[in-house]
Amino acid sequence: MAITSAIATSFKVEILKAVHNFTNSSGNTFKVALIKANASQSGTYGAATTSYTTVTGNSDELANGNGYTTGGYALTNTTPSSSGTTAHLTFSANAQWTSATFTTRGCIIYNDSATGDPAVMVIDFGADYSVAGGTFEIQWPTNDASNAILRIA
């Protein structure tokens, strides 16, 4: 029972098969779903995670309610770009859950448009984070070759 921040290995293969399209306004729908607190997880998530259904199959997504909706938050794509030899992208709007009361340890970003809800990446927050009647927000980093949430060098 653990989360390790990693780009899903299956995602690396799927980009070569043209499964994922991050283009703004015409690309796929990507979502971020929150994973339960560390002590409540039954699965292990990281590079070997292939799909959002892995998280739901282990009942490790936060429950619906208390400001969270199962399936996660729909992200706003930015068209991928490059700098030097690094391709990169960061979603253009932070993910927010308002009037929230829950504890989470990490998240999975996945392609909600593609068959099987394939995983893009898993992120470990480094600790359990709780919110009580407030807003929980994931702030995406600057979209550049050194900081973007997804970088392929």
Side-chain angles (χ1 to χ4, degrees):
M1 299 177 301
I3 301 172
T4 303
S5 294
I7 295 173
T9 302
S10 56
F11 170 75
K12 297 172 190 176
V13 172
E14 291 161 355
I15 57 176
L16 298 175
K17 294 179 177 180
V19 171
H20 304 279
N21 179 354
F22 290 91
T23 304
N24 187 18
S25 76
S26 64
N28 299 137
T29 299
F30 292 87
K31 289 187 173 182
V32 57
L34 298 177
I35 299 172
K36 291 179 180 177
N38 195 47
S40 301
Q41 296 169 24
S42 61
T44 300
Y45 307 100
T49 302
T50 59
S51 172
Y52 162 71
T53 59
T54 304
V55 176
T56 60
N58 289 325
S59 299
D60 282 340
E61 182 179 13
L62 290 183
N64 197 55
N66 297 315
Y68 183 77
T69 302
T70 53
Y73 184 93
L75 298 169
T76 304
N77 293 348
T78 59
T79 300
S81 57
S82 64
S83 178
T85 60
T86 302
H88 56 85
L89 75 87
T90 290
F91 300 100
S92 66
N94 294 333
Q96 292 185 341
W97 292 268
T98 58
S99 302
T101 299
F102 55 72
T103 301
T104 180
R105 173 60 188 235
C107 64
I108 181 171
I109 297 173
Y110 70 98
N111 186 340
D112 192 44
S113 297
T115 301
D117 295 330
V120 172
M121 66 190 327
V122 175
I123 301 169
D124 178 11
F125 296 150
D128 288 346
Y129 283 91
S130 297
V131 61
T135 299
F136 184 83
E137 180 176 56
I138 299 175
Q139 296 178 345
W140 304 117
T142 304
N143 189 15
D144 62 36
S146 299
N147 299 296
I149 194 68
L150 183 57
R151 298 180 304 264
I152 302 172

